[in-house]
Amino acid sequence: MQATCWADRLELVGDDERLVGFAGALPVRLLAERSGLRAALSAAMRRRGFDPVYDRGQLLIDLAIAQILGAEAIGDFQGLRHLAPVIGPVPSTATVWRALAEVGPVQLGRITAAVTAFRRWWWGLLAARDEGFPWLTVAGQQLTGVTVVDLDASVVLAASEKENAVPTYKGGIGFCPNLACCDNTDDVLALDARPGNATANCAADNIALLDCAVARLPGRYRRRLLVRLDGAGFSHELLEHIAAGGGTRGRCWEFSVGWACTEVELDAIEQLPAQAWTPAIDQAGEVVDNAFVAELTGLLDLSAWQQKIPGLRILVRSEPLHPRYRKRASEREQRLGRRFQLIATDTRRGQIAWLDARHRAHAHVEDGVKQAKDLGLARWPSRFWAINVAWTQIVALAANLLACFRHLALPSGGLREAAPKLLRYRIFHLPGRLTRGQRKRWCHLRADWPGTEEVIGSWAAVKALPAPP
């Protein structure tokens, strides 16, 4: 006797036009509308004598939403047709290509201005909340008034022949974009699309990236800045630029960067007395087992550096040599079984262990890079450089829109800090059914879906946001 299967007497039929896919993305789309971002982008893309069928500002917003939903190619934009019963007709893939081709240097400047105004609006709302702006806390000490900007370069490999896809410094063929992220808000401030042969420590590129990122900050958040980057992006020109406040008087900028550990530094480390070492601490202020920090400044000849960078200090961290690092370790490190990491900073106050913990929080930038790649940075869609540059700026727009949604529409906790993959499963990919009644449209969501409450709550939170002045 054949066992009864769950699929018995089950037939699939596609005949219901009331169903809505990706209903969880509707609050994000509404956020772009209520904040004035969509209108600003429409003005940025406006051309005299050209009246497109599909508003170009809305198209850019929808492309950013498609990236948030997981789009990896321009053709994936058509996934938004699942939202057509709610948002109306969706432009074709060819129209999206044409819109990206229209984004030149002038349009990019206008888009940047629109996104900067959007950031000014939602950062102002953050500061007006009872809990205030999200200043960072390291080992129980809050960095009140300090905007933390992390710089990092990454490699994006190209699977086919594309303009400016060349061998990279890490191997393979592709591109080497530069990113500036704000650790306070988990926001991508600037994204510089660069050819694959660009290096991580190019001073001109890093200075230009930092200046671009600062220009996109609201004015009150530019005065006190902490700039962090790893040793791969180190250059004395960049440190001088930061120490000088970007050449603007009245600014108080500090840096915390990786410093190369050469034989000179290893000689100095061996001269450190035992009492110079202090136990290292983690982000919570707890002592880290078998890890120590010390100041190396007085044992190094830094006179040439300190002429242009007053207050330059070099710190060293000693920790057990991890097997993963053993191949790159020096002979001395292998002999001692210890790994030494150096930090250069011009911060004059604070315990050494706390300064070390503050710098190690730079690892958060990896989350920003990973998120940007998850939003479309990992796949550049076109053979043409100009279109790929436009695509990367939409990635930055998507990251900004998502950061705003996290802080203003989601409750504090796990979902606010969740990766895009989890947000898609819990919120954005939630389906619905559209009905009409009482002179309204109703989008019905599954009652027992794990993210239904958050979607409804975020919709109400966005609708309650004040319009920009």
Side-chain angles (χ1 to χ4, degrees):
M1 181 176 179
Q2 186 176 5
T4 302
C5 176
W6 66 268
D8 290 347
R9 298 186 180 183
L10 175 65
E11 301 294 338
L12 303 183
V13 56
D15 62 352
D16 195 336
E17 297 180 353
R18 299 172 300 170
L19 299 181
V20 178
F22 305 133
L26 292 174
V28 184
R29 197 173 195 266
L30 179 64
L31 176 60
E33 186 67 33
R34 290 190 63 86
S35 65
L37 178 60
R38 194 277 308 160
L41 290 177
S42 298
M45 294 295 292
R46 190 169 294 126
R47 288 186 294 163
R48 182 179 300 177
F50 178 64
D51 187 18
V53 175
Y54 295 98
D55 178 78
R56 291 301 193 248
Q58 187 64 71
L59 190 151
L60 295 184
I61 290 295
D62 287 343
L63 182 55
I65 291 175
Q67 292 173 339
I68 292 174
L69 292 173
E72 296 182 340
I74 293 178
D76 294 340
F77 183 89
Q78 298 308 309
L80 293 182
R81 291 187 182 276
H82 296 298
L83 282 171
V86 178
I87 66 175
V90 172
S92 66
T93 300
T95 301
V96 179
W97 277 102
R98 286 195 297 270
L100 287 177
E102 295 168 9
V103 180
V106 174
Q107 287 74 21
L108 283 175
R110 294 172 180 170
I111 291 172
T112 296
V115 175
T116 301
F118 171 64
R119 182 178 291 109
R120 188 183 309 116
W121 171 78
W122 73 270
W123 278 30
L125 295 182
L126 285 183
R129 300 180 306 174
D130 292 338
E131 57 268 38
F133 189 78
W135 306 114
L136 294 186
T137 299
V138 178
Q141 182 175 340
Q142 189 177 67
L143 301 178
T144 305
V146 179
T147 307
V148 181
V149 177
D150 292 299
L151 307 183
D152 195 24
S154 185
V155 170
V156 175
L157 299 180
S160 59
E161 293 186 3
K162 300 178 188 293
E163 189 177 358
N164 286 330
V166 293
T168 73
Y169 70 96
K170 285 189 175 181
I173 295 177
F175 310 98
C176 185
N178 228 358
L179 293 90
C181 301
C182 179
D183 200 13
N184 300 83
T185 58
D186 298 319
D187 183 11
V188 176
L189 298 174
L191 202 167
D192 182 15
R194 302 189 301 167
N197 56 2
T199 59
N201 64 345
C202 177
D205 286 356
N206 286 329
I207 291 173
L209 177 71
L210 177 60
D211 288 346
C212 181
V214 171
R216 298 179 183 185
L217 290 172
R220 60 179 292 195
Y221 298 97
R222 301 176 188 176
R223 183 178 177 274
R224 296 186 62 192
L225 217 67
L226 171 63
V227 182
R228 300 183 302 201
L229 63 153
D230 57 29
F234 177 89
S235 66
H236 66 87
E237 294 95 337
L238 176 61
L239 299 193
E240 293 171 14
H241 185 73
I242 298 171
T248 301
R249 295 181 59 184
R251 288 178 174 176
C252 181
W253 289 7
E254 297 178 349
F255 58 79
S256 183
V257 307
W259 181 282
C261 186
T262 67
E263 291 297 320
V264 174
E265 284 76 16
L266 289 174
D267 289 339
I269 291 171
E270 288 188 350
Q271 299 176 36
L272 284 170
Q275 61 270 25
W277 294 97
T278 302
I281 60 175
D282 59 18
Q283 298 301 305
E286 301 294 330
V287 173
V288 180
D289 184 41
N290 199 17
F292 305 90
V293 293
E295 181 158 2
L296 207 59
T297 308
L299 298 176
L300 296 173
D301 182 10
L302 301 174
S303 55
W305 287 84
Q306 291 173 337
Q307 289 178 2
K308 295 184 178 180
I309 309 175
L312 175 66
R313 305 169 64 187
I314 307 298
L315 313 180
V316 57
R317 176 188 177 98
S318 172
E319 61 186 10
L321 184 60
H322 193 278
R324 184 174 56 184
Y325 177 75
R326 185 170 295 276
K327 291 183 178 180
R328 293 181 294 162
S330 66
E331 292 184 3
R332 292 193 195 182
E333 289 177 315
Q334 292 180 7
R335 185 179 69 251
L336 296 173
R338 307 290 294 181
R339 182 187 181 188
F340 300 106
Q341 296 171 282
L342 276 66
I343 302 169
T345 182
D346 59 347
T347 302
R348 305 189 184 192
R349 302 178 62 182
Q351 296 180 347
I352 298 174
W354 182 84
L355 293 174
D356 173 72
R358 185 188 68 168
H359 177 77
R360 294 181 71 81
H362 170 65
H364 296 166
V365 74
E366 297 297 334
D367 295 331
V369 173
K370 186 183 299 183
Q371 175 176 273
K373 288 189 174 182
D374 201 0
L375 294 177
L377 185 63
R379 295 180 181 271
W380 298 23
S382 177
R383 293 186 296 113
F384 302 105
W385 178 250
I387 292 181
N388 284 332
V389 169
W391 172 269
T392 60
Q393 299 315 299
I394 304 302
V395 170
L397 168 63
N400 192 359
L401 191 58
L402 183 57
C404 176
F405 176 76
R406 290 177 188 272
H407 284 278
L408 298 184
L410 292 180
S412 59
L415 272 185
R416 180 180 289 182
E417 302 171 0
K421 181 178 180 180
L422 179 58
L423 289 176
R424 289 165 189 153
Y425 172 73
R426 288 282 299 273
I427 295 181
F428 299 139
H429 290 182
L430 174 60
R433 180 171 58 87
L434 191 65
T435 63
R436 290 173 172 82
Q438 303 174 10
R439 298 182 179 180
K440 292 183 179 180
R441 293 183 299 166
W442 301 82
C443 186
H444 301 266
L445 309 177
R446 186 174 176 90
D448 60 351
W449 188 275
T452 295
E453 183 178 345
E454 285 78 5
V455 172
I456 296 175
S458 65
W459 179 259
V462 172
K463 292 183 72 174
L465 292 175

